[in-house]
Amino acid sequence: MIYMKKILWTLLLLAFSLSAFSQSYFEDGLTSEWHRGRRDELRKLMPANSVAVFFNNPVKNRTNDVDYIYHPNTDFFYLTGFREPNAVLIVFSEERQINGEMSEELIFVQNRDARAEMWNGKRLGVEGMMSELGFEDALLNSEFAAKSGINLQDFDKILTFSLSEAIEESSTNLPLIQMVDEFKNATAYPDKLNEVSAQVYKMIESSDLETSDRVVQMLKRYSSQYPDMMQDPLVSSFMNADSPEKRMMVKEEIPEQKLDISSLGDMMGILREVKTAEEIVMLKKAVRISAVGQVEVMKAAKVGMTEREIQGVHEFIYKRYGAEELGYPSIVGGGNNGCILHYIENDKRDLTDRLLLMDLGAEWRGYTADVTRTIPISGEFNAEEKAIYELVYQAQEAGIALSKPGTTFQDIDAAGRKIIDDGLAKLGIIKKGEGHMYFPHGTSHHIGLDVHDRGTYDVLKEGVVFTIEPGIYIPEGSDCDPKWWGIAVRIEDDILVTKDGNINLSGDAPRTIAAIEEMMRHPSVLEEWVLPEID
Ligand code: GLY
Ligand code: MN
Ligand code: MN
């Protein structure tokens, strides 16, 4: 074994000296020009003389020598296309001189390391950042910040994200930990700074005589969720002040902060909310692959199969098309398991003739789909399942019909919720006007690099891609006729908002009762795939 390692080592060194590594990323993913363009767009949103600092995600240990598969921070990926840990991106609002060179951004990355690369795969290194990802300046992470000639205190604003979460201590994460420590020292990062209080300060700062009352009402709603917030003397004085004038006096006491951990999220939300044509190509692919998964499972699903087996069929199809990842853990819930909104155990065996709720999404070049179908394992819905399914379907149709620029997320949610509330009352599951927990989640979210993607969540705009996913879940033991128990239905589609309407990107997967039952009558290629029995 040691001998083998020696040979490999020699071969590897030889390979190193013979040829440089070529870029390992996907040829059909976003281009380095695209990522560079996004950095230019960010610069336009940044205040004058500011700097934005992005740390890529740490590596997370799964157990002992095994780490979780690395996933870059999605803001970091959006701006760079880079997929390696121990990296920091610094974007300046204006070009400035760093060590005698004019520069508008810097990226700090881990070094090339033949031994590490033999075990864990290629690294781009400083050279690769320039040749493959189009950066004009790249430095080793050991040169971070002051060593590179940057003085963060020269800027009027330092924009970053909350660094309160501890980074898992490991030799792998050491360069990142050192960079975070140096950043915290250089910016006098306070011990107690957290995202909630930063957001609250920002809300107070942006209030005026007319709006301060609304801000107080909003803070009151937050206060039960974040009780610590009220411990902050400035926040409590603002909330307890008995006139708008007094509130403005409290507002003046908020210290001017150079370090800003709440604005960068808003800026990234503005950028990431509306997808460019290139991103829509990625999303369409992710969604269409996920829809094919649903179609194939409709053909393959049979009484007696297991949730895990069904999960495997979806995920095999994603891989067959070359999707690199799942956007989130697959949810495959038979019968009552469908009532657990993010059910990921998927360990029920012998699926009986109940409904099966399947919420899965392929990740294609970083972009994730989020598609749900609910099907009857037997191939046919019974009367109660039909009644519930039809309500969810009508709620979703109402949302889709409203989807065009200018519509709010609330409009879509309200339209579907009314159909579901009225319908449940008509079926006798609730009393008219009664509150209930049978539709306990929101109807929509953006999708993109994250399954719950960044966005402003104000109104729909051309180029937005979002989900419409009403659902009804009636767990065993609910306060209604037992004939409804264990019925769980969610229908989730990924909708692209166009200039004057929308396109359902996941529309290839049947949604109506008739279309699902028809698809389920088709044979599956899996029937011919017989594996040997194993005891
Ligand atoms: N798959 C998670 C969600 O639908 O939001
Ligand atoms: Mn969703
Ligand atoms: Mn989903």
Side-chain angles (χ1 to χ4, degrees):
M1 190 65 192
I2 288 176
Y3 180 66
M4 272 303 287
K5 267 190 185 169
K6 242 185 189 164
I7 293 179
L8 274 175
W9 190 240
T10 315
L11 284 175
L12 195 90
L13 287 176
L14 200 64
F16 259 50
S17 57
L18 290 178
S19 66
F21 277 130
S22 59
Q23 228 263 62
S24 59
Y25 300 156
F26 304 103
E27 281 176 2
D28 48 7
L30 294 166
T31 62
S32 55
E33 290 75 27
W34 184 88
H35 292 290
R36 189 196 179 104
R38 297 288 92 195
R39 298 196 292 278
D40 290 337
E41 291 304 311
L42 171 63
R43 249 184 287 282
K44 290 181 195 160
L45 298 178
M46 290 167 62
N49 195 32
S50 64
V51 58
V53 183
F54 298 83
F55 292 87
N56 210 354
N57 281 342
V59 172
K60 290 203 166 63
N61 185 254
R62 183 165 176 260
T63 176
N64 197 18
D65 283 344
V66 180
D67 293 330
Y68 284 104
I69 294 171
Y70 186 71
H71 198 286
N73 170 282
T74 48
D75 289 320
F76 201 99
F77 178 79
Y78 184 85
L79 295 169
T80 63
F82 193 42
R83 294 171 164 271
E84 292 179 29
N86 290 308
V88 177
L89 170 71
I90 297 193
V91 178
F92 308 127
S93 53
E94 300 86 16
E95 218 182 19
R96 61 194 297 121
Q97 210 171 35
I98 304 286
N99 282 339
E101 300 267 337
M102 292 309 282
S103 178
E104 51 185 17
E105 57 203 17
L106 276 181
I107 189 156
F108 297 87
V109 301
Q110 59 189 2
N111 58 351
R112 296 293 306 273
D113 177 336
R115 198 175 173 75
E117 290 179 52
M118 179 174 72
W119 285 95
N120 298 319
K122 294 176 209 171
R123 295 178 173 190
L124 287 184
V126 165
E127 280 301 314
M129 295 310 290
M130 297 190 262
S131 59
E132 307 295 336
L133 293 184
F135 278 85
E136 278 169 22
D137 286 305
L139 293 168
L140 286 179
N141 51 21
S142 53
E143 300 288 307
F144 179 65
K147 289 192 215 82
S148 69
I150 298 174
N151 181 359
L152 290 168
Q153 291 299 336
D154 286 348
F155 296 88
D156 292 336
K157 281 273 173 210
I158 303 166
L159 310 165
T160 192
F161 295 102
S162 168
L163 296 170
S164 54
E165 231 172 82
I167 301 168
E168 218 168 78
E169 283 199 31
S170 65
S171 55
T172 319
N173 286 332
L174 198 58
L176 178 66
I177 292 171
Q178 283 169 347
M179 288 191 285
V180 168
D181 282 351
E182 174 166 355
F183 177 79
K184 284 184 170 176
N185 287 334
T187 57
Y189 194 95
D191 285 347
K192 286 189 66 172
L193 193 61
N194 70 53
E195 224 155 344
V196 176
S197 58
Q199 282 288 357
V200 170
Y201 276 11
K202 199 163 129 183
M203 282 165 71
I204 295 178
E205 274 177 332
S206 57
S207 70
D208 55 30
L209 286 172
E210 278 184 17
T211 59
S212 75
D213 217 39
R214 273 208 303 279
V215 172
V216 170
Q217 296 313 320
M218 210 145 33
L219 293 178
K220 275 192 182 147
R221 285 203 296 277
Y222 275 149
S223 61
S224 57
Q225 214 177 335
Y226 303 107
D228 283 357
M229 189 179 91
M230 296 304 293
Q231 305 302 318
D232 184 311
L234 278 176
V235 177
S236 63
S237 312
F238 183 84
M239 290 177 71
N240 295 327
D242 54 16
S243 70
E245 288 75 15
K246 286 194 185 144
R247 283 185 209 123
M248 291 304 103
M249 284 161 67
V250 178
K251 173 179 137 173
E252 293 308 314
E253 288 175 37
I254 293 183
E256 178 67 23
Q257 299 273 6
K258 192 184 274 273
L259 188 62
D260 178 343
I261 61 161
S262 61
S263 301
L264 200 49
D266 296 343
M267 291 173 201
M268 293 309 297
I270 291 167
L271 292 181
R272 287 175 56 177
E273 171 177 38
V274 175
K275 270 60 185 179
T276 65
E278 293 86 343
E279 288 178 288
I280 290 170
V281 171
M282 304 298 142
L283 273 167
K284 273 188 179 160
K285 189 90 183 214
V287 175
R288 293 199 61 200
I289 291 171
S290 308
V292 173
Q294 297 284 359
V295 169
E296 286 306 312
V297 167
M298 286 180 196
K299 297 179 196 163
K302 300 263 173 306
V303 168
M305 282 177 91
T306 68
E307 290 174 345
R308 186 87 64 218
E309 206 176 346
I310 304 257
Q311 173 186 354
V313 177
H314 285 277
E315 293 179 8
F316 172 70
I317 287 163
Y318 300 174
K319 297 216 168 7
R320 186 80 162 78
Y321 280 105
E324 68 272 16
E325 263 287 2
L326 305 174
Y328 53 92
S330 301
I331 299 166
V332 180
N336 201 51
N337 288 343
C339 297
I340 302 168
L341 302 176
H342 286 169
Y343 171 77
I344 55 172
E345 282 90 355
N346 304 346
D347 58 2
K348 186 176 158 76
R349 305 177 68 83
D350 281 334
L351 289 168
T352 52
D353 59 346
R354 305 297 305 268
L355 292 182
L356 177 68
L357 187 157
M358 307 175 290
D359 179 345
L360 303 95
E363 185 175 303
W364 178 265
R365 309 319 175 233
Y367 285 78
T368 182
D370 185 6
V371 181
T372 308
R373 290 292 182 268
T374 306
I375 63 171
I377 301 280
S378 66
E380 284 179 17
F381 291 86
N382 70 25
E384 285 75 28
E385 291 163 353
K386 269 187 182 164
I388 297 298
Y389 191 96
E390 197 54 37
L391 277 182
V392 177
Y393 177 77
Q394 292 305 338
Q396 199 200 28
E397 282 284 282
I400 295 173
L402 286 173
S403 296
K404 59 177 189 305
T407 301
T408 65
F409 282 85
Q410 289 81 355
D411 293 337
I412 290 172
D413 184 73
R417 213 163 279 279
K418 176 160 175 29
I419 290 170
I420 286 179
D421 290 349
D422 291 351
L424 288 175
K426 215 160 163 193
L427 293 173
I429 296 172
I430 59 168
K431 294 193 185 71
K432 201 169 165 43
E434 185 185 36
H436 65 87
M437 285 298 285
Y438 295 125
F439 179 12
H441 57 77
T443 304
S444 299
H445 56 83
H446 293 279
I447 59 168
L449 289 170
D450 279 298
V451 63
H452 293 173
D453 211 37
R454 284 194 185 279
T456 62
Y457 287 91
D458 46 18
V459 294
L460 297 180
K461 302 167 183 107
E462 184 181 355
V464 155
V465 184
F466 76 114
T467 67
I468 302 188
E469 50 175 309
I472 297 177
Y473 314 86
I474 312 180
E476 300 281 348
S478 293
D479 184 18
C480 61
D481 189 324
K483 70 180 182 177
W484 304 108
W485 290 2
I487 295 181
V489 175
R490 174 158 72 251
I491 316 173
E492 176 171 29
D493 282 81
D494 299 340
I495 308 296
L496 166 65
V497 181
T498 57
K499 190 159 171 285
D500 43 24
N502 68 77
I503 300 170
N504 183 350
L505 301 181
S506 40
D508 290 346
R511 282 194 307 130
T512 63
I513 288 174
I516 290 171
E517 291 184 344
E518 203 281 322
M519 186 58 77
M520 291 188 77
R521 286 194 281 274
H522 286 249
S524 161
V525 287
L526 286 180
E527 281 155 30
E528 287 162 30
W529 193 17
V530 182
L531 297 174
E533 290 287 334
I534 295 178
D535 301 334

